[in-house]
Amino acid sequence: MSRLDALRGPTPPLDHNARSIAALAANPACDRRAVLDAVGVDKNLMAVHLGYSAQFGQSPFAVVRTRQFEEIVRAGGGAGLLPLLREALGLSIDTARWESADESADEGGGESAEEGAGEAHAVRHTRTEALVARAAGDPGTAVVLDRLLLRLDVAGHEVHLEPGVLVFQAGERFHVVTIKPFAVVDGQAETGRVSAAAREAAVYVHAMRALLVRMGLAPDRVSHDVVLVCPENFSNVPTASLLDVRRELSVLAWQLARLTRIDRILDGLPSGLSLDLRIEAGVPTRPAADLDEAVSGIAARYAPECLSACEMAYFCRAEARSGGALDALGRAVRDDLGGVETVGAAIGLATGTRTATAGEQGVAERLRHIRKIYQETVAQETVA
Amino acid sequence: MSMFRSYLKAQAFHEGRAQPSATVRHVHLSHAPLVFVPLRMAGEAAAPLGAMVGCDRAAPTLLVVPQPRNRELRFAFATELAAVVLPYIERFAGETETVEAKTPYERCLDAPQILVPNPRGVAFSRLLGRSTRFRRTSGPYAVPPSVPAFGQWLTFLAERAEHAGSSMFLAMTDVLAAHWVTGQSGVEDGTLAALLAWIAPPAGSTGHEAAAESEDPTRTPPAGPDTDPEFDRKVLQPAIDAYDASGSPERVEEALRRHLQPTWDLMWRAVDLLRGLPEAAGVSGRWERDRTALAREVARLGENPTPQGRWDSPVAAARRLAALEIAQQTYEAARAFDDPLAMAEYRVEGAAFAGEVVAVEADRRIVPPGGKRAVPRPLVTVRTGDPVRLAPGTRVFSPARRTQRKAEIVSVAGDTVTIQINDGMGQGREPAPGSVPSLGEVVCYTDLDPGGGRTPPLPALSDTPWTHGGPPEPYVPTDEDAQESWS
Ligand code: SF4
């Protein structure tokens, strides 16, 4: 049994998805998230069991809308998608084959069967490789590949990436095609959502390129231009635009390279540590205090950005706040206060109750100055 | 963030209470603003779900769309909302005065002020304006005339909201965060309830406690336009199903009233808090600009009532960006001039300094380069504790002597700065009394210029070079735009 299996206990691991990998990469210094993700813990369930409210719940309306839009785009074996791809990529093809790496998905099956999950993964991954190889070997035929199961090396640990995009090949080029339900109104969409889509798509481009390399093919056959398919204006009619994810790709590669190798983190953890929720009939039964202690034993690196990126955020925020960590107020605050770690230390330096270390002299002087003019100004104004 | 604000954040966390970052109110606040709390259906760009709107805190108008997927009901909502908002705007649009100037111009006597909870409320309103302004009042999918008119006004207001210093359409979280610094991060400050919890926690609790309490979505629903997913699942979905089955909107109304009421109340509490601050000196001038912009829009609608196009031409876009940037710079400078706490932030960064005048050479006269006669050029030396980062030769301005626009730094030595006064001293041989700081006076100088901001030279729209598409074609309404689906 591997160390990860031991930490996990008998619960089957969760798959990674592009969002979780992008989020993990965005906070490369957080060992806690690295371990929880490598183990494949259901972080949402864990946070709720620890007494924090659930994050990232989706409204049923949004779920319906997303599904409807996906259906519209995929309707008729991609009949509506082809003209969009043609236009976005400036191609002159008439037909494209549609192939899925997951044949069971059509019958409503899936990878839910617990025992067979590993096996099903293996089958789908083999099929994925075969489909990509065939497409690459026949660049003259346009093809849309659906439900590919890609693998990715994350912190020295191989993970599966839930299928969330289509891959289109025409000519010598593969393009990642991502379908998103947010509207593009007069050529503009919400910036936050577009950048999230770009970050996620970059994960797929990265994984596709890794696959081509493993197969002995040139990675740049996967384009850095991703096709983003969204509803146009206030309608349900899909429109496609190209999204250049070069920047996101290099950020991702840099961040992935910075992740500590998971076995090094694991080596530093106490032996006998378990992250098992002891799920019985779908309900965690492990005493929360016990679990709390186990999770707290893995170092975290909280920042307010976690609130929109990680299911553990409220737990980690409470921990950071109880220690008065400046990180809880935002990374910028900590950067501004040049390396001072806690609120207590910052206030201590400002009031002079804390002796500045050699490295803190400059910050201390500035803080005392700020405190002085702030107090003077407020006092003057209250008199006036 | 600046170090000044970071310190205030730490201090707020330490004290468990927000710290004021302004001594005066930098936005205009109407006697009776129109508060607008819109909700949209999750997953949709601009499908309204409901809204609470009105000028009377005791009697909000509740509008709901009992089945948000129904296009007819959406337009019914737009019509009802227009029936509240249009008369409010038109009340101001009709009354103008002529301002005597080199080229006299029209200005409205007052202007509307619409307050929404957060920037997303502004963005949603902009989309609502976009989805209604092209509608036609005849032919297929006809709507009442108030719908496109309302759409045009919303578009105008949302556009104005991007100008720093404009007060016609404000996001409350932005306004509060410009006047107080809390002990939580900027992410949490985006939530109206959490922000208010820090600024004015209930008696006996700290900001920490009050903010934590405000995070429970069942007690304090989100301020919109997005609703809480659990609310959607447990309350709204069944209520909409009930409407589909019975045709009675009652349950949806009840659900949305409960969802909206807490935010409505918070909005008015925020208004009260802001009223407690005295108005900054520059506010009335900026409000005059809003009133002028309103009169201009009234005139535009009078001449050519076609809706604003879907895109700006390149030159119009460049002009707009330049105007926004200037508005931002002038606003920031004006804030610092009107408010010693805002100025303190610049003092910390070394872009401003304050201190006591320790030496004055009031009768100094020199012959300026290229000149013939000696003219008064007094020197004033200030001792300051601030870390001055302004180099000799920098032109500086002082809140106490706003007409002097040419003072410059001559030297910086240790903790003293010497300034030469070059203008604003009257016509006489001697500087006019009071025009030169006197010994012992506490003064403040900065390179921020509230009177600055010249429009960069951009060609007039009609002279747009061909490289930028030539002069823009005015927007011509199309059937397609008018009948665009809203599904
Ligand atoms: S919320 Fe906690 S576990 Fe998740 S990334 Fe942030 S610090 Fe790490």
Side-chain angles (χ1 to χ4, degrees), chain A residues 23 27 30-33 36 43 300-303 306 310-314 316:
Chain A
N27 195 358
C30 180
D31 288 356
R32 183 175 294 165
R33 172 154 196 160
L36 294 177
K43 295 199 293 299
R301 181 84 160 77
Y302 174 80
C306 292
C310 183
E311 293 85 345
M312 295 298 290
Y314 285 121
C316 299

Side-chain angles (χ1 to χ4, degrees), chain B residues 110-130:
Chain B
D110 201 357
Q113 180 173 51
I114 300 183
L115 305 174
V116 291
N118 51 42
R120 276 164 298 129
V122 176
F124 175 68
S125 304
R126 189 175 58 80
L127 283 180
L128 206 55
R130 165 64 183 77

Side-chain angles (χ1 to χ4, degrees), chain A residues 57-59 61 65 186 233-235 304 307 317 321 329 336 343 347 366 369-371 373-374 377 381, chain B residues 1-2 6-7 11 20 23 41 43 130 183 185 188 215 229 232-233 310-311 340 347 386 484-485 487:
Chain A
Q58 259 214 324
S59 160
F61 305 124
R65 166 87 169 163
D186 298 340
N233 297 336
F234 307 103
S235 72
L307 289 168
R317 187 183 70 176
R321 282 179 172 174
L329 300 178
D336 281 339
V343 169
I347 301 300
R366 293 193 65 196
H369 174 240
I370 294 175
R371 183 178 133 89
I373 64 176
Y374 184 73
T377 313
E381 290 305 309
Chain B
M1 186 124 15
S2 67
S6 290
Y7 162 76
Q11 183 67 27
T23 58
M41 188 185 213
R130 165 64 183 77
S185 80
E188 287 113 351
E215 277 181 356
D232 285 1
R233 196 185 331 271
R310 290 165 61 170
W311 295 282
R347 289 172 56 194
D386 298 338
E484 178 179 64
S485 82
S487 53

